[in-house]
Amino acid sequence: MKAFADKLFLNIFHIQAADSPYLALWYVLMMFLVSFILLNFAALFAGIASYVERRIAARMQNRIGPNLVGPQGILQWLADGLKMFLKEDLVPQTADKFIFRLAPYFVFAGLFGAFVALPFGYGIVAADLNVGIYYILAITSLVVVGIISGGWSSNSKWALFGALRSAAQIISYEIPTGLSLMLVVMLAGSLSTQSIIESQGGWPWEWFVFHSPFTLAGFFIFFISSLAEGNRVPFDLPEAESELVSGFNTEYSGLRFLIYPMAEWANLWVVGAMVTLTYLGGWQIPGVRLETIPSSVLLFLISITIFFIKTLAVVFIVIQLRWTLPRVRVDQMTLICWTYLVPIALICLIGTMIWMLAFPWKSVFGTAIRILMSTVGGSVMIWCMLRARHNYVIDKDRFEKLKGIPAWYPPWKLP
Amino acid sequence: MKPAEVYKLLIDRFGEDLILAYVETRNPYIKINNGYVQAICTFLRYNPSTKFAFLSSISGVDYPQRNEIDIVYHLFSPFLNTLCVLKTSTPRDLPELESLESVWKVANWFEREIYDLLGVRFTGHSNLKRILLPDDWEGHPLRKDYKEKNSYHDMETMRPDPLKVLREKNEKSGKSQ
Amino acid sequence: MKNPAKVNEAIRHLKPQAAPFEEEMSLNFGPQHPSTHGVLNFLVVTDGEVMHQALPNIGYLHRGIEKLAEMTPYSGFMPYTDRVDYLAAMFANQVFAMAVESLAEIEVPKRAEYLRVIVCELNRIASHFIATGALALDLGAVTPFVQWLREREFINDIMEALCGARLTYNYMRIGGVSVDMPGDLPDKILRFLDHFEPIIDEYNRLISNNEIFVKRLADVAVISPIDAVNFGLVGPNLRASGIGIDLRKTLGYSVYPDFDFEVPLGKGFRGALGDAYDRYMVRILEMTQSCRIIRQALEKIPGGEYRANVKKKLKVEENEVYSRVESARGEMGVYLISDGTDRPYRLKIKTGSFTAMSIVEKASQGLMVADLIALIGSLDVVAPEVDR
């Protein structure tokens, strides 16, 4: 980021940044600019994700979903946000008012802080920290502080239940998350998000996920524990609306309430981007060598597009899971973590170490295994998609036969 | 085994003092002495030749003319595929009966309901409290002479006829114009 | 019990090994709660996530239907019966009509009996949609519930074509049914059944065999056969505990003996006998049987009158009857005493949900808070039927 700021400074004022007396001011200005862009990106993504999620859910459930505000209801999230703004900011009489008001800021800071170290394309990252992965893990842990203090200070038993569940859940799942990230860190030899991506390649067999059976398992462990850390189904225990009314945010209203769901949706991006950058090759362009990217704006754009497509695909799967699976019970949640994920993650860690020594990245056998695994993995994915489509077509035909009206509209023709 | 045979069995076991009558209706019922409900029901439930395992329902009926409240037990035996109706009476002024909770657990709630709506006390019941109505409700609504209070906790129990209210409103506004 | 200290006393007595009150928390579960299926209230005593007891507190929906019956003529009471259980209104219709017909000795035409069976079985399917779907919804899976709602919509359309109402049908009359079915309705119903039967498999793929779903329900809130009899469970809840009592078979009321169908029993599909998953699965299996009955009924339905000639102002001489049907929630009984006037002297409605609620207090001991929702959902308790 600093290099970029320097370069921009040079281009605008034609003075070397280091020579300028206003250097500090310039950096501060750039800092504000970047955080403005990131915050807006995160907020926009959260908003649009909320709309998209509702539309996808509606599709999955033979409904239409929000379609009235703007063309195809695309502005629904703005209307919802506006509504939340206008609501009264209620604080319960018996709440610990200071902590109650403070808690959403923790959640806000925790999630949006993670965006600083997340890359968006080749060289496009707000701060390419050399401890990037640890920074993201650490800053997202702030969320649990916000949730616990929010739930506790509400002075409501339901909120307390949600907060305690959240504490148990997020703290437990930090461990498999960290362990499964260790595999990647080992393979890349770096904690920086950009270097992790750079040490992978563009083709699927150059991604870390297909490096060995151990990393494949590690990928799933990381995905599952990311879901749990982001309070997504099947791990949405802290707010389990059919059990705990609304969990930790039961007593919140208005803008303070808005922070929680917004952070949850923004977290979708964090989950997607983390999975993409650690295991799925990040923004790497297939068949293009790393050194050639800076020379062309087009390749820049392609790298951004690739990163977005991968991330959004992961986000889409997370959304689909949410509308498919039921919720696990609280003891099952900890059971999954401590008896399955953590031991398997440890085994994967050791297994990957041995694999790295036995079959180096460039060795023939290692490459063959990677190609084989990626082919099988891709085939399984395509088979799943075809099977889903097959089932869907049967159901569609049945519906049309019964009702005489089409069951499916293309998105632009939806009622 | 038909209800008449059940009656015969009961007469043989308990005698005429306890088993008072056998009345033919659509569902014939056996009139029993109100002091021995528990013993008779226990016998019917566990006797291998009857096995009335299910207590289908307990109902209370108020008879102000006779000054009595009838309690009706419907027992069902899938073994015989027969419904056995036992009926007993208790005085209306001080209605009291044995609880069947020790025979069937489900009697607990049935009896609470009868206590709530008809005011029959069941001795030996573990938790005899109102079940459907609020704890501080006055009276027992299913009694024939029950009159609803005009208000409950300062809430009107009667709603003014909306048509009448509308008509009056219209008349008033007509006058003012 | 409003006083927590008293609750504590009760629990100490029940469970001497339970933690002392200082470690316990009492929690008001409902009446405004997303998963209480209407307005119910549970006073839950918990130690963290583990529940020591849940005391049901009912009566929020008590409308005094039994008292209203004493003021309403026989023919005028039919719409009230819809409100006893609005998810399966046909059964309350039928049981009341059967009681009055039995008292007044009215012969119901065969065609009317067949029509009753058809609508009742359709209604049973619709009710089981809500039962199984809402259970999945309570466990956090939204899509299965909405899928079932789509199917339920077709049944609602059929009912609307038949009697004009979609929820509170008021379809049956004393001595028959209100209208004959339109000529194209059998075809419509058959088309729906053809469409629906494969959907059950799809639904099983979607949620019944889902590992999380099974883990949430299997071995949870096990009700032993002895407890089931003792607490007077009826219908699917009883059959899930392995006791094969279905009044359609045992009593053979209406024209049910004409049909060939099975009574699905719980047998510990994925866990212990009588657990929440058995109760869920029995309902799913019952839908298939209902489809079979409807198909046979549509095949065998005779022509002729659909309604016996009954006087508008029906007077019934002194008599009494207790008639029962197998509703979607189990045995539903009407105890009717007539006194020679045109309105009942006393009418008592016995419902399955009422007895099912009374077992919650026992079955909930030692469960997790999340399991309480699975228990209530799997018992298929409907608040208006509990309170009447």
Side-chain angles (χ1 to χ4, degrees):
Chain A
M1 200 60 233
K2 184 167 172 290
F4 176 70
D6 285 347
K7 205 174 160 192
L8 199 66
F9 193 80
L10 184 68
N11 284 345
I12 295 170
F13 301 108
H14 302 287
I15 312 169
Q16 281 291 337
D19 303 339
S20 163
Y22 301 114
L23 182 70
L25 191 67
W26 172 245
Y27 281 163
V28 169
L29 191 73
M30 286 304 289
M31 197 177 77
F32 273 105
L33 181 73
V34 168
S35 40
F36 179 78
I37 293 170
L38 279 180
L39 268 183
N40 272 293
F41 173 78
L44 262 173
F45 177 80
I48 293 173
S50 79
Y51 164 74
V52 170
E53 170 153 23
R54 287 162 72 183
R55 286 297 277 220
I56 291 174
R59 265 303 163 90
M60 290 176 69
Q61 302 172 351
N62 307 297
R63 297 187 284 117
I64 295 166
N67 69 337
L68 291 177
V69 189
Q72 294 293 318
I74 188 87
L75 299 177
Q76 181 68 42
W77 58 280
L78 271 180
D80 287 348
L82 201 65
K83 186 193 82 175
M84 284 296 185
F85 265 110
L86 299 177
K87 292 280 176 199
E88 187 185 351
D89 178 25
L90 290 169
V91 179
Q93 187 92 57
T94 51
D96 189 326
K97 295 194 175 59
F98 176 67
I99 298 179
F100 186 83
R101 293 207 172 99
L102 190 69
Y105 295 108
F106 278 112
V107 176
F108 188 81
L111 260 168
F112 293 92
F115 278 80
V116 173
L118 285 180
F120 293 91
Y122 178 83
I124 304 173
V125 55
D128 188 11
L129 303 173
N130 53 4
V131 289
I133 294 282
Y134 272 178
Y135 166 76
I136 293 174
L137 275 183
I139 197 97
T140 46
S141 295
L142 260 185
V143 175
V144 71
V145 177
I147 288 178
I148 293 179
S149 51
W152 177 78
S153 63
S154 301
N155 204 355
S156 152
K157 285 167 184 171
W158 297 115
L160 186 64
F161 259 119
L164 290 178
R165 280 181 177 192
S166 178
Q169 177 172 325
I170 297 185
I171 292 168
S172 310
Y173 278 87
E174 289 277 316
I175 294 163
T177 315
L179 282 175
S180 51
L181 279 177
M182 282 304 289
L183 309 184
V184 177
V185 171
M186 248 169 20
L187 284 165
S190 165
L191 284 165
S192 147
T193 50
Q194 288 291 41
S195 346
I196 287 176
I197 295 175
E198 278 163 17
S199 53
Q200 302 178 56
W203 297 107
W205 53 87
E206 288 163 343
W207 300 349
F208 282 155
V209 58
F210 295 126
H211 171 256
S212 67
F214 299 109
T215 51
L216 188 67
F219 165 75
F220 285 109
I221 290 171
F222 180 60
F223 184 67
I224 292 168
S225 29
S226 299
L227 288 183
E229 286 210 51
N231 294 342
R232 295 290 297 192
V233 169
F235 300 102
D236 67 335
L237 295 150
E239 46 179 292
E241 75 280 346
S242 60
E243 292 163 22
L244 302 184
V245 189
S246 187
F248 57 88
N249 58 28
T250 306
E251 304 292 342
Y252 279 91
S253 72
L255 196 58
R256 274 175 227 284
F257 169 74
L258 182 64
I259 301 288
Y260 287 105
M262 205 164 109
E264 196 189 315
W265 273 306
N267 185 55
L268 275 183
W269 179 270
V270 178
V271 170
M274 280 295 275
V275 171
T276 308
L277 80 90
T278 49
Y279 280 100
L280 299 181
W283 39 255
Q284 287 275 17
I285 310 165
V288 175
R289 290 200 13 247
L290 213 58
E291 299 82 57
T292 53
I293 297 178
S295 60
S296 145
V297 179
L298 185 70
L299 285 178
F300 258 116
L301 291 178
I302 291 175
S303 80
I304 294 175
T305 319
I306 285 180
F307 191 81
F308 266 64
I309 288 175
K310 284 178 182 172
T311 307
L312 292 178
V314 176
V315 168
F316 180 72
I317 289 172
V318 174
I319 288 177
Q320 270 206 328
L321 279 182
R322 168 165 183 184
W323 297 102
T324 312
L325 294 179
R327 181 185 309 122
V328 297
R329 212 193 306 147
V330 64
D331 59 328
Q332 290 165 352
M333 176 268 291
T334 39
L335 195 81
I336 291 170
C337 178
W338 292 107
T339 60
Y340 297 105
L341 296 187
V342 173
I344 294 173
L346 276 171
I347 292 168
C348 288
L349 193 66
I350 297 162
T352 313
M353 277 179 202
I354 296 166
W355 194 279
M356 276 168 72
L357 290 175
F359 315 108
W361 184 258
K362 292 247 164 75
S363 70
V364 180
F365 184 74
T367 317
I369 282 281
R370 278 188 280 134
I371 291 176
L372 183 73
M373 278 182 58
S374 54
T375 326
V376 172
S379 324
V380 168
M381 230 174 110
I382 290 171
W383 180 78
C384 285
M385 284 156 91
L386 285 178
R387 191 168 156 73
R389 183 171 167 72
H390 171 75
N391 286 335
Y392 163 71
V393 167
I394 292 175
D395 187 48
K396 176 169 156 265
D397 289 348
R398 259 195 237 129
F399 182 89
E400 282 169 3
K401 208 170 129 199
L402 185 70
K403 290 293 271 189
I405 54 169
W408 192 85
Y409 299 90
W412 55 92
K413 270 195 196 161
L414 267 179
Chain B
M1 202 184 266
K2 292 271 149 348
E5 292 166 57
V6 177
Y7 172 67
K8 217 171 276 164
L9 189 80
L10 284 176
I11 282 280
D12 290 346
R13 176 73 176 77
F14 291 100
E16 300 227 340
D17 287 348
L18 269 59
I19 313 298
L20 303 175
Y22 176 72
V23 184
E24 279 282 353
T25 58
R26 273 272 150 198
N27 283 127
Y29 63 82
I30 300 163
K31 190 104 181 164
I32 58 174
N33 188 319
N34 61 13
Y36 299 88
V37 178
Q38 211 180 50
I40 293 166
C41 285
T42 314
F43 171 74
L44 282 176
R45 179 171 180 186
Y46 294 110
N47 188 344
S49 62
T50 49
K51 286 190 195 162
F52 281 97
F54 288 86
L55 177 61
S56 186
S57 94
I58 307 180
S59 329
V61 192
D62 186 26
Y63 288 102
Q65 310 91 327
R66 281 199 269 133
N67 206 20
E68 274 179 342
I69 289 177
D70 277 9
I71 306 293
V72 190
Y73 300 92
H74 293 99
L75 318 182
F76 178 62
S77 161
F79 169 66
L80 300 172
N81 200 1
T82 306
L83 192 73
C84 171
V85 188
L86 301 177
K87 211 179 224 189
T88 182
S89 306
T90 172
R92 204 158 171 273
D93 314 322
L94 193 65
E96 206 168 45
L97 269 179
E98 279 180 336
S99 169
L100 281 189
E101 207 192 328
S102 54
V103 191
W104 288 282
K105 286 279 191 321
V106 65
N108 184 332
W109 275 36
F110 282 138
E111 283 167 359
R112 274 179 76 183
E113 192 192 343
I114 291 171
Y115 166 72
D116 189 359
L117 300 178
L118 280 150
V120 181
R121 299 199 66 84
F122 290 90
T123 52
H125 192 286
S126 64
N127 181 25
L128 195 64
K129 293 170 51 171
R130 286 188 182 273
I131 184 165
L132 293 174
L133 301 176
D135 282 350
D136 54 355
W137 193 266
E138 285 173 29
H140 303 286
L142 275 185
R143 291 204 176 190
K144 293 284 176 188
D145 54 359
Y146 174 75
K147 283 257 166 24
E148 196 177 6
K149 294 263 174 357
N150 284 332
S151 66
Y152 170 73
H153 282 289
D154 297 332
M155 288 181 283
E156 294 288 312
T157 52
M158 300 292 265
R159 189 170 63 114
D161 183 358
L163 288 176
K164 211 170 145 192
V165 170
L166 198 71
R167 211 177 300 129
E168 275 170 11
K169 207 175 154 191
N170 284 346
E171 274 169 19
K172 242 183 213 171
S173 61
K175 264 177 203 168
S176 67
Q177 279 167 6
Chain C
M1 285 193 214
K2 302 255 150 52
N3 186 352
K6 271 190 186 168
V7 173
N8 183 36
E9 273 311 306
I11 284 156
R12 261 192 203 149
H13 170 68
L14 282 169
K15 301 183 80 174
Q17 77 279 19
F21 183 69
E22 292 74 45
E23 308 253 321
E24 285 174 347
M25 175 162 94
S26 59
L27 189 64
N28 243 331
F29 193 96
Q32 283 85 27
H33 189 278
S35 62
T36 49
H37 297 217
V39 215
L40 295 171
N41 173 235
F42 296 89
L43 193 81
V44 182
V45 183
T46 68
D47 177 10
E49 289 278 348
V50 180
M51 206 160 50
H52 286 171
Q53 198 161 26
L55 300 169
N57 180 10
I58 63 169
Y60 290 89
L61 265 172
H62 181 56
R63 291 144 297 166
I65 285 180
E66 291 171 14
K67 186 77 178 169
L68 283 168
E70 294 172 11
M71 311 166 184
T72 323
Y74 287 108
S75 54
F77 186 64
M78 196 57 86
Y80 286 107
T81 59
D82 289 333
R83 274 78 181 170
V84 171
D85 176 2
Y86 47 55
L87 290 179
M90 282 298 180
F91 297 99
N93 270 201
Q94 193 190 12
V95 68
F96 175 69
M98 272 170 60
V100 179
E101 283 151 11
S102 167
L103 280 190
E105 296 180 356
I106 296 164
E107 185 79 10
V108 184
K110 260 282 187 267
R111 187 175 173 79
E113 291 281 19
Y114 272 84
L115 281 171
R116 281 181 181 185
V117 166
I118 291 168
V119 291
C120 275
E121 293 308 317
L122 278 174
N123 205 185
R124 189 187 308 276
I125 296 175
S127 174
H128 284 347
F129 283 161
I130 300 293
T132 53
L135 178 57
L137 179 71
D138 289 348
L139 298 187
V142 186
T143 305
F145 181 62
V146 186
Q147 288 281 351
W148 269 165
L149 278 188
R150 185 187 82 168
E151 306 304 320
R152 189 166 175 269
E153 204 60 19
F154 299 141
I155 293 185
N156 284 351
D157 287 346
I158 291 170
M159 295 294 200
E160 193 182 1
L162 180 66
C163 61
R166 292 164 68 86
L167 190 69
T168 50
Y169 309 110
N170 188 19
Y171 176 57
M172 293 182 197
R173 293 285 181 272
I174 296 160
V177 295
S178 64
V179 284
D180 202 353
M181 67 176 163
D184 63 338
L185 201 72
D187 186 46
K188 227 182 213 172
I189 296 174
L190 280 177
R191 263 199 303 160
F192 166 69
L193 292 181
D194 289 341
H195 161 82
F196 169 64
E197 275 165 340
I199 295 267
I200 297 178
D201 290 341
E202 192 183 314
Y203 190 79
N204 285 342
R205 280 207 305 277
L206 175 63
I207 188 79
S208 305
N209 297 330
N210 184 312
E211 199 54 34
I212 297 175
F213 187 73
V214 173
K215 279 263 154 46
R216 280 297 304 273
L217 292 180
D219 286 327
V220 166
V222 179
I223 296 174
S224 67
I226 295 171
D227 270 353
V229 173
N230 240 334
F231 279 90
L233 285 193
V234 286
N237 298 333
L238 180 67
R239 294 195 282 279
S241 292
I243 297 176
I245 293 180
D246 186 326
L247 296 181
R248 290 175 294 176
K249 283 268 190 210
T250 27
L251 291 189
Y253 64 92
S254 193
V255 285
Y256 278 109
D258 295 3
F259 306 124
D260 172 34
F261 65 100
E262 283 157 25
V263 178
L265 290 185
K267 49 188 176 193
F269 291 99
R270 291 298 186 93
L273 175 71
D275 61 359
Y277 190 78
D278 274 9
R279 290 194 281 280
Y280 164 84
M281 210 58 208
V282 162
R283 290 194 168 84
I284 295 279
L285 294 175
E286 259 182 30
M287 287 189 207
T288 326
Q289 300 303 325
S290 290
C291 290
R292 270 178 75 186
I293 297 175
I294 297 169
R295 276 183 196 284
Q296 294 171 43
L298 284 174
E299 229 168 66
K300 289 183 186 168
I301 187 164
E305 283 292 304
Y306 62 90
R307 194 170 169 183
N309 210 357
V310 180
K311 271 189 289 181
K312 265 229 171 96
K313 214 168 158 66
L314 186 70
K315 285 193 177 172
V316 184
E317 61 192 62
E318 215 169 317
N319 208 335
E320 65 173 70
V321 72
Y322 182 65
S323 66
R324 298 179 292 164
V325 297
E326 181 72 25
S327 114
R329 280 164 197 78
E331 176 188 313
M332 182 184 252
V334 157
Y335 178 50
L336 183 59
I337 302 179
S338 57
D339 62 348
T341 59
D342 65 337
R343 45 198 73 183
Y345 184 75
R346 171 85 166 94
L347 182 134
K348 148 103 187 176
I349 303 170
K350 187 257 158 155
T351 54
S353 295
F354 186 76
T355 50
M357 268 306 275
S358 68
I359 204 171
V360 169
E361 192 177 332
K362 172 149 198 302
S364 63
Q365 285 174 16
L367 296 180
M368 314 278 282
V369 173
D371 288 339
L372 177 64
I373 286 130
L375 172 65
I376 304 166
S378 70
L379 284 172
D380 190 18
V381 177
V382 177
E385 215 200 16
V386 178
D387 298 342
R388 303 184 299 285

